[in-house]
Amino acid sequence: MPVLVITGTGTEIGKTVTTAAVAVAALAAGRSVAVLKAAQTGVGPDERGDADEVARLVGPVTAGELARFPEPLAPGTAARRAGMAPVHPHEVAERAAKLATEHDLVLVEGAGGLLVRFDAAGGTLADAAKLLGAPVLVVAQAGLGTLNVTELTARELRRRELELAGVVIGSWPATPDLATRCNVADLPEVAAAPLLGALPAGAGTLPPAEFRTAAPTWLSPRLDGTWDAEAFRVRQTP
């Protein structure tokens, strides 16, 4: 798995922190890692973006972005409003492929959900994944409403004949409600793919040293971690 594309079922659900956790686990397993943010929006030229946040949490990782746009909008819209050239899927694929020749694992983080548009032609992260032939990891919300958007994302991946590597819960609350606890069993069922981890709420606020120690415990062995999905499910069963 030299390239893994990381998308989400929406915005602000933990994609960047999940990307950082996957990077930490891979590094701990002895692999060299690069992280590529396909398109950064809502950040000025001198502000820290998602790739910078990954580098802060992870440490020795190659981190970069293809482009950034100042307004917090879909990349295609943000590029148009800023009068800037958009990012195209083939550019994402080309940069990721080059990084893959120099690293054991390349993590490509999208912006928003799978079908958020990059350009006027309707290019998306899904198109970049198709060009790369890369599996896609879906970061999902924990609570009520997540089953619908997770299943829709999974169905679209399969419609495009893309591999769904699995699902990670991007922010697991300290005191989950009934719907959240039930979703532990239901998410892999609706996605028809394994649940590969659950990051605790606030994980991204941990000091980097603590984050690096803890991150592998949040992820399944398939992502170089030690998290036990079945034990987690049993603990949360209502």
Side-chain angles (χ1 to χ4, degrees), residues 217-230:
T217 70
W218 306 329
L219 300 171
S220 145
R222 295 192 190 188
L223 295 174
D224 296 313
T226 60
W227 183 78
D228 187 332
E230 180 59 20

Side-chain angles (χ1 to χ4, degrees), residues 6 30 37 39 55 57 117 121 134 169 207 234:
I6 300 179
K37 180 71 176 181
L57 290 169
R117 295 190 171 202
I169 297 172
V234 170

Side-chain angles (χ1 to χ4, degrees), residues 104-219:
D104 299 320
L105 176 64
V106 179
L107 303 175
V108 179
E109 182 189 345
L114 180 69
L115 299 184
V116 169
R117 295 190 171 202
F118 285 171
D119 56 26
T124 67
L125 186 68
D127 296 314
K130 187 73 171 181
L131 290 169
L132 286 162
V136 179
L137 181 68
V138 174
V139 181
Q141 292 175 308
L144 195 64
T146 194
L147 300 180
N148 179 61
V149 289
T150 300
E151 183 167 359
L152 288 171
T153 301
R155 286 188 181 190
E156 181 62 18
L157 286 168
R158 292 194 174 88
R159 187 185 73 81
R160 292 171 177 255
E161 299 182 333
L162 291 168
E163 178 187 349
L164 172 53
V167 177
V168 169
I169 297 172
S171 181
W172 182 261
T175 54
D177 61 16
L178 178 61
T180 299
R181 292 162 60 204
C182 288
N183 286 341
V184 174
D186 292 339
L187 274 169
E189 181 176 343
V190 301
L195 188 61
L196 297 182
L199 276 64
T205 66
L206 292 173
E210 292 184 26
F211 184 91
R212 294 166 198 170
T213 299
T217 70
W218 306 329
L219 300 171

